[in-house]
Amino acid sequence: MAWGLLLTSVSCGSSPSTPQPDGGAADVPAEVPADVLSAIADAPHTADSAPASASRFPDTTATIAILSDQLPNLNAQQTQFAATHYVGSQKLLLSATRALRAINPNFVVLHYHLAMWQSAPTTSFITDGLTWGNDYPEVTTHETWFWHNASGARVPSSADGKLLMNISNGELAAYWADSIARQTAAGEYDGVFLDSASPALLQGECSNTDPRLAGTAASTQSFTELAGKTWSAAWGTWIGNLDASLAQAGTPLIPNTSAFVTTWDKSDYNLTAGIFVEGFADPSFALVDWKASTNQILKTASAGKIVILQNYLSSQGDVARRLYYLANYLLVKGSRSYLFYFASNPLEWYPEWQIDLGAPVSTPANVDALAWQGVYRRDFASGVVLLNPSPSAVSVTLPSAMRRVDAQGGGGVPSDGSVPGSLSSTAVTTLSLPGTL
């Protein structure tokens, strides 16, 4: 694995501050008793409930902002922890959202919905903020909404059975715009996480049942079903319209774009309010792919759009991988950039997330502008981030003595809500950043 290192010119902090919007203060109680949380969670759901708003997304210019995946069931202490350490989460029932916002009113929650697919009949998602369900019984009555292969059969994904839809069908587009907006309002969500959104997925997930989608067809082959457009072009029209529709209610659309390493994919991923980059900065990327991915993320983050970066750990103790993900995040981070990585449970916390480097000194035009002594470097008000994405070790000499930040422990948040892990630092003037382990 390639490596990332964080250097600081000040001592490491002992605990993170409660996430705040735009750097402002919030009235956050020290603790909300379990009986109060229960009463809030069970409060009636009315039309006067707070609407979703992009304003809840906090400014991340000078912070490391952690937006967790779907949180599990939490006790009162863990709810307190989540509300005061994460900036947000996704796929939560309204009862859980309200319990977290009783502690931190600015806690962000995203609604989950598939992008160009219909959920498989046995797969559930939150349909009204209160229950898990599926709109398949309604959708299946509209055969023209589905994508069909040359034999006229529906096209399921080989990964999980979700069904590919005809995104050029106007009735389907209108149905999705309306139903997603209603689901978002009902759940008091702050944005929509549109999963499995990249047309590049069609190559691997649908080519067995529709050979017309094999290879690079999504970006190179025109289809009569799409009014003579390629899948990428038709996707751009559809998702741009959906983004505009949701924006009228102040709801940002955040598609899961994957990691931008499919070089033939010509889809325009700049059409929405943000992006969710699953699998970002994977250590397995070739250097050319790492550069392409990093440049696209940097471009989106620099435009002030919402950027959520997520990847996974094989074990909680893989500190090298954790620091590599964190360093990659810090290289590209903008004013609305969020991070998450975990091993087995989204209720995990790692001490390196509390490092305070302050705001970046500058925003690079591209990743090559960060090249320095054979690695990549970004300077912050209170430190420096160094990253080596190559397979070869690189030694660097610092212009002055700094302190290398080291993380110990971290992992699952215990039932008492205590903070796992700790930080230490070591004075250094030279460093060796290993390449592939």
Side-chain angles (χ1 to χ4, degrees):
M1 181 195 300
W3 273 54
L5 289 175
L6 283 72
L7 305 170
T8 180
S9 55
V10 296
S11 59
C12 298
S14 58
S15 62
S17 58
T18 300
Q20 307 297 340
D22 301 319
D27 184 12
V28 180
E31 185 172 353
V32 178
D35 58 341
V36 176
L37 288 178
S38 178
I40 293 170
D42 294 336
H45 182 214
T46 70
D48 295 328
S49 300
S53 171
S55 64
R56 269 206 186 95
F57 286 85
D59 190 316
T60 61
T61 302
T63 63
I64 295 170
I66 306 303
L67 198 154
S68 76
D69 206 322
Q70 179 186 0
L71 290 168
N73 293 330
L74 308 175
N75 64 24
Q77 292 77 20
Q78 291 169 327
T79 300
Q80 177 75 25
F81 179 96
T84 55
H85 289 74
Y86 306 129
V87 301
S89 184
Q90 59 168 289
K91 290 184 278 189
L92 298 183
L93 292 173
L94 187 56
S95 56
T97 296
R98 288 181 169 179
L100 290 158
R101 288 186 184 151
I103 301 167
N104 177 9
N106 299 305
F107 194 84
V108 175
V109 182
L110 302 179
H111 177 45
Y112 177 93
H113 197 281
L114 285 177
M116 52 206 183
W117 315 83
Q118 168 63 36
S119 293
T122 57
T123 300
S124 297
F125 59 96
I126 300 172
T127 57
D128 59 2
L130 305 175
T131 56
W132 292 83
N134 192 323
D135 59 352
Y136 182 82
E138 165 63 22
V139 175
T140 195
T141 64
H142 302 274
E143 193 61 37
T144 59
W145 292 7
F146 291 82
W147 182 262
H148 300 94
N149 62 20
S151 300
R154 294 179 181 181
V155 177
S157 163
S158 59
D160 51 19
K162 57 184 181 284
L163 293 158
L164 186 62
M165 307 300 283
N166 185 346
I167 54 174
S168 285
N169 185 288
E171 290 183 355
L172 172 63
Y175 171 78
W176 269 344
D178 177 68
S179 61
I180 291 173
R182 285 188 285 104
Q183 293 161 13
T184 302
E188 299 177 10
Y189 297 115
D190 300 292
V192 176
F193 168 41
L194 210 60
D195 202 8
S196 299
S198 172
L201 295 174
L202 303 184
Q203 175 190 42
E205 295 192 28
C206 297
S207 59
N208 286 341
T209 48
D210 189 349
R212 298 177 303 163
L213 299 173
T216 64
S219 284
T220 59
Q221 179 66 45
S222 298
F223 293 89
T224 57
E225 300 96 317
L226 302 176
K229 296 181 179 180
T230 65
W231 249 95
S232 290
W235 179 92
T237 299
W238 164 70
I239 206 164
N241 290 337
L242 180 58
D243 179 83
S245 177
L246 293 173
Q248 294 179 20
T251 303
L253 182 64
I254 309 168
N256 185 344
T257 61
S258 301
F260 305 119
V261 293
T262 304
T263 56
W264 56 260
D265 182 11
K266 306 305 181 185
S267 306
D268 186 350
Y269 294 107
N270 301 302
L271 298 172
T272 56
I275 55 175
F276 184 105
V277 188
E278 186 173 23
F280 90 104
D282 198 90
S284 66
F285 289 169
L287 186 58
V288 64
D289 289 333
W290 175 83
K291 281 189 174 184
S293 177
T294 303
N295 277 329
Q296 178 62 52
I297 297 169
L298 186 59
K299 176 182 178 181
T300 307
S302 299
K305 294 193 174 189
I306 295 167
V307 174
I308 303 173
L309 305 178
Q310 181 166 303
N311 212 324
Y312 306 95
L313 304 169
S314 58
S315 69
Q316 295 175 353
D318 192 348
V319 178
R321 185 179 290 261
R322 285 160 38 187
L323 293 180
Y324 184 68
Y325 291 154
L326 178 57
N328 271 277
Y329 163 77
L330 290 167
L331 280 190
V332 301
K333 182 169 72 74
S335 61
R336 292 289 186 276
S337 303
Y338 310 93
L339 171 69
F340 196 58
Y341 47 82
F342 68 103
S344 57
N345 186 333
L347 188 62
E348 294 177 0
W349 182 263
Y350 295 99
E352 61 268 21
W353 291 343
Q354 69 195 44
I355 297 170
D356 182 7
L357 295 180
V361 173
S362 63
T363 299
N366 53 60
V367 72
D368 286 338
L370 298 172
W372 179 79
Q373 292 191 33
V375 297
Y376 294 86
R377 168 179 170 170
R378 193 178 189 189
D379 291 1
F380 290 77
S382 300
V384 172
V385 174
L386 299 178
L387 180 74
N388 177 18
S390 75
S392 302
V394 178
S395 296
V396 300
T397 301
L398 302 175
S400 61
M402 300 191 77
R403 301 195 69 82
R404 185 191 69 223
V405 180
D406 300 305
Q408 295 86 35
V413 177
S415 59
D416 64 2
S418 57
V419 181
S422 61
L423 294 173
S424 61
S425 61
T426 304
V428 293
T429 56
T430 61
L431 288 166
S432 177
L433 282 76
T436 304
L437 293 180

